[in-house]
Amino acid sequence: METKRRQVVISLHGIRTRGEWQKKITPYLDGVKHYPLDYGMFGVFYLALSFMRNRKIKWFRDEYNRIVQENHGTIPSIIAHSFGTYILASAMNIFTDIKFDKIVLMGSIVDKEYDFDKKYENNQYTKLLNIICPRDFWVKVAHLLLRLGNSGVCDFVNAEKETQVVYEHMGHSDMLNTDVFLTKIIPFIHQISKF
């Protein structure tokens, strides 16, 4: 008789932080093995440099491989905020063998044209939750000044399988609170999926 594998969740923070929110959610991820990845402080100046962003994408690929190997091939879910969303989406484009069970995006700076439908068809994820805050100032700044995506303030064009939640009065980091984790993210992570 096959034993059910323990669920694995990766979390990935944004710039100008070490992801304190990641450590706070661990106790709420009951029955889940949590990997709060920390790539160190990453300033706005580095965000503007593509070669610096590419270093973090490669770092993430190595961390992903380590986590999957440690967990005997279990496909992890991921919760990503801000620059973490960019790292995640870029890695899925470059390394097409990267797969996730569920994906949660918060304050996303992924392009709204990103083809999540194709990623779904390629079996790179099973479910997507994009938490949208239309008044997110920092997503708008990243889009206007750095030409990064703005899917944290608007809908993806190519993501029919996504579940979308809109918080009209939240800012960029406001969603990193216990209420959002308990009422939206954790129930989403615990949904049954094909992996």
Side-chain angles (χ1 to χ4, degrees), residues 127-181:
K127 294 183 181 186
L128 171 67
L129 173 64
N130 184 26
I131 299 179
I132 297 173
C133 301
R135 298 168 71 178
D136 190 328
F137 174 76
W138 293 112
V139 169
K140 292 176 182 179
V141 167
H143 180 64
L144 292 172
L145 298 183
L146 301 176
R147 302 278 190 224
L148 297 172
N150 64 345
S151 55
V153 296
C154 63
D155 196 3
F156 283 107
V157 175
N158 301 303
E160 289 183 15
K161 301 295 180 189
E162 111 187 50
T163 302
Q164 174 180 311
V165 179
V166 179
Y167 289 95
E168 295 287 350
H169 302 291
M170 289 184 136
H172 190 63
S173 297
D174 295 339
M175 66 202 84
L176 304 174
N177 68 60
T178 305
D179 181 58
V180 174
F181 289 125

Side-chain angles (χ1 to χ4, degrees), residues 2 11 25 32 42 45 54 58 65 70 78-79 97 99 106-107 124 138 146 150 158-160 165 167 176 182 195:
E2 188 175 326
S11 59
I25 67 167
V32 173
F42 195 78
F45 176 73
N54 289 339
K58 289 175 185 165
N65 286 341
E70 277 181 22
I78 187 163
I79 304 167
D97 60 324
K99 294 182 180 183
M106 302 180 294
Q124 283 186 268
W138 293 112
L146 301 176
N150 64 345
N158 301 303
E160 289 183 15
V165 179
Y167 289 95
L176 304 174
L182 291 177
F195 286 133

Side-chain angles (χ1 to χ4, degrees), residues 10-13 18 22 35-40 42 51-67 78 83-84 87-88 91 95 98:
I10 296 169
S11 59
L12 196 56
H13 63 82
R18 298 297 298 262
Q22 297 171 268
Y35 289 86
L37 297 185
D38 182 354
Y39 53 78
F42 195 78
F51 77 93
M52 292 299 289
R53 295 193 305 261
N54 289 339
R55 283 186 188 172
K56 296 306 176 190
I57 294 164
K58 289 175 185 165
W59 165 85
F60 177 70
R61 165 58 188 241
D62 292 341
E63 290 297 297
Y64 174 89
N65 286 341
R66 176 184 64 82
I67 290 166
I78 187 163
F83 182 50
I87 293 172
L88 160 68
F95 309 107
I98 287 183

